[in-house]
Amino acid sequence: MTDKTQTSTEFTPTRRSVLQTGGAMFAALGMVPLVAGTNPALAQDAEWDKTFPKSQTVEHEKVTFLNRYGITLTGDLYLPQDRSGQLPAIAVAGPFGAVKEQSSGLYAQIMAERGYVTLAFDPSYTGESGGQPRNVASPDINTEDFSAAVDYLGLHSSVDRERIGIIGICGFAGMALNAVAADKRVKAVATTSMYDMTRVMSRGYNDSTTPEQRAEALEKMSLQRWVDAENGTPAMAGGLPDSLEGVDAPFMRRYFEYYKTPRGFHKNSVNSTTGWTATTPLSFMNMPILQYIKEISPRPTLIIAGENAHSRYFSEDAYKAAAEPKELLIISGADHVDLYDQVNVIPFDKLESFFGDNLKA
C-alpha cells in the first residue's frame, strides 16, 4: 500500500432507509460522555436481538472469554456456514458506548459472509460483559479487551492464529490501533469513523478546550470522586436527550437518530440509555493512546473516514502519524454515522480485499 489518499464512489443519500440516520457519544467540549449501558444480562439467549437482520449463510453463537484483568467478556462469534479448514479471523468492537448487537455485530456478520471467522464483543463494564461498576470505560482495559478477543480467536479450532486482524469503529478505532501497536500477533488493522477518545476528552473537539477549561473539568471530576466514595456508587453523566428539541449540532442529531430510534437502539447500549459514569474521562485525559502508532508497522493499517464526518481529522492525523504500510480511504459524501450501519456506504469490498491481501495463509 502507499500513503495515497483514496476516495470512493459518491453515494446517494436517498438510498438510506427511513429509519437510518444518527446517534451520540459524549459531550467532548464539556469533557463528559453523553452515553452509557445497563447491567449485564448474562443469560445465553438464543433469541436474535441484533439491530440488523440475521444472515442465512452465517452461523452465530454467543461466547465468553477472560481478559488479562480477569473480567469476563461476552461476544458474538460468526462463522461461515460453508467452511473447511482453518480460516482467517477478525475481532471487531465499537463504537464507543455501543454494544455487539449494533454496528460491530453488523460488520462481523458481513465479514463472516465473506469468509472470515469474526468476533464482535462487548467491552468491559458494558453490555453483557462483566466488570463493576457498570458504564465505565478505560483506555487501558478497553485496549486489553481487543487482545483478549485475539486470545479467544487464536484458540478456536476454526481459526488460523497466524491470520488474525482487527476492525475498530469510532472510539474503539483508537483503542484498536493502540492494541495492535503492542500486540504483535495481529497481522492487520482497519478503522472506520475513528475517534481518539483520549484526545477528544482531554482537548475537546478540534482541540478547542483551553487549559483553564481542562483544569476546571479535572477539578470537578476529582471532587466528584469524594461524592461517589461517600455514596458508595458512581454518579452518572447523563445520556442522550429523549428528543431533538433544542439540539442544533448536526453530528449530535445524527447520533440521536441512530442510538435513540429503531435504526440502532439497543437496551444494552451505553449510548441508547443512561450515560457513562461522570468520572469516566479521568483516565483518558492523561493517557494519549496513539503515542506508539508507528509501532504497528510493518503490519498494514487501513483508516476509513467519511468525507463529511465531524471526526475526519482524527483519521487524517492518525494516518499522518502511522508508518508504512498505511492507507487512508475517504468515503465521498459520507458522514461519521453512515459508517456505523449503512451497508451501501461502508466499503466492505475494500475491507475484504485489505484483509484478504494481508491475512494470507
Side-chain angles (χ1 to χ4, degrees):
M1 292 179 294
T2 69
D3 61 359
K4 183 179 179 181
T5 302
Q6 298 187 18
T7 305
S8 75
T9 303
E10 186 169 1
F11 71 92
T12 305
T14 55
R15 294 172 67 188
R16 300 173 189 169
S17 161
V18 68
L19 289 177
Q20 295 176 323
T21 26
M25 200 176 314
F26 64 104
L29 293 179
M31 319 280 261
V32 178
L34 281 181
V35 291
T38 59
N39 286 333
L42 293 176
Q44 302 293 293
D45 194 341
E47 182 182 353
W48 188 254
D49 58 352
K50 322 305 178 196
T51 60
F52 49 89
K54 186 174 183 178
S55 172
Q56 299 306 306
T57 63
V58 170
E59 295 176 8
H60 161 267
E61 63 177 297
K62 191 166 291 187
V63 300
T64 59
F65 52 98
L66 289 175
N67 71 10
R68 191 164 55 87
Y69 297 104
I71 299 171
T72 299
L73 302 182
T74 301
D76 285 319
L77 184 70
Y78 296 88
L79 302 99
Q81 286 183 354
D82 184 14
R83 65 183 186 276
S84 62
Q86 292 186 314
L87 302 176
I90 303 171
V92 192
F96 189 75
V99 287
K100 63 188 181 306
E101 291 80 11
Q102 297 171 310
S103 182
S104 62
L106 173 67
Y107 274 69
Q109 181 174 259
I110 291 177
M111 294 306 290
E113 289 177 333
R114 294 169 180 242
Y116 297 85
V117 176
T118 59
L119 176 62
F121 62 89
D122 288 333
S124 296
Y125 308 107
T126 64
E128 293 184 312
S129 287
Q132 292 291 336
R134 304 305 299 165
N135 311 333
V136 67
S138 161
D140 179 21
I141 296 174
N142 293 150
T143 294
E144 157 61 21
D145 290 341
F146 272 110
S147 287
V150 173
D151 293 344
Y152 177 87
L153 288 170
L155 296 176
H156 197 282
S157 60
S158 292
V159 172
D160 179 351
R161 67 167 58 177
E162 298 302 319
R163 294 192 288 161
I164 298 177
I166 280 177
I167 296 174
I169 307 164
C170 187
F172 270 80
M175 255 79 85
L177 295 173
N178 192 36
V180 177
D183 193 334
K184 304 306 182 182
R185 300 172 300 174
V186 182
K187 298 303 190 289
V189 58
T191 68
T192 61
S193 290
M194 191 201 119
Y195 259 72
D196 176 350
M197 297 306 300
T198 57
R199 178 179 176 182
V200 75
M201 287 196 190
S202 62
R203 303 184 199 173
Y205 281 116
N206 298 301
D207 303 331
S208 60
T209 297
T210 66
E212 293 76 19
Q213 289 171 327
R214 173 183 165 85
E216 180 183 359
L218 285 169
E219 181 175 4
K220 184 179 297 185
M221 286 185 285
S222 297
L223 294 175
Q224 183 64 45
R225 292 182 64 117
W226 270 326
V227 177
D228 291 350
E230 184 175 19
N231 292 337
T233 184
M236 307 307 295
L240 285 167
D242 291 329
S243 77
L244 287 173
E245 184 177 356
V247 178
D248 297 323
F251 75 96
M252 290 293 294
R253 297 181 72 89
R254 293 187 183 102
Y255 282 140
F256 176 95
E257 290 160 358
Y258 178 77
Y259 288 111
K260 302 291 281 188
T261 74
R263 171 187 172 188
F265 176 88
H266 196 277
K267 61 183 177 61
N268 289 348
S269 170
V270 173
N271 292 1
S272 291
T273 54
T274 60
W276 296 102
T277 63
T279 58
T280 286
L282 277 172
S283 59
F284 286 83
M285 292 179 71
N286 284 358
M287 191 178 295
I289 57 174
L290 297 187
Q291 182 172 353
Y292 297 103
I293 189 173
K294 288 184 183 295
E295 295 184 9
I296 295 174
S297 178
R299 296 160 297 158
T301 300
L302 171 63
I303 298 174
I304 302 168
E307 177 188 21
N308 300 324
H310 67 283
S311 58
R312 177 174 168 176
Y313 70 99
F314 291 119
S315 292
E316 292 173 333
D317 287 353
Y319 172 74
K320 292 173 186 175
E324 292 283 2
K326 60 182 179 178
E327 184 175 358
L328 176 64
L329 177 63
I330 302 299
I331 307 300
S332 297
D335 64 37
H336 179 91
V337 180
D338 285 325
L339 297 180
Y340 285 8
D341 67 339
Q342 300 296 290
V343 296
N344 60 309
V345 178
I346 301 167
F348 283 112
D349 288 345
K350 177 62 179 181
L351 288 167
E352 180 181 1
S353 65
F354 171 74
F355 286 111
D357 289 342
N358 295 296
L359 299 182
K360 292 178 179 177

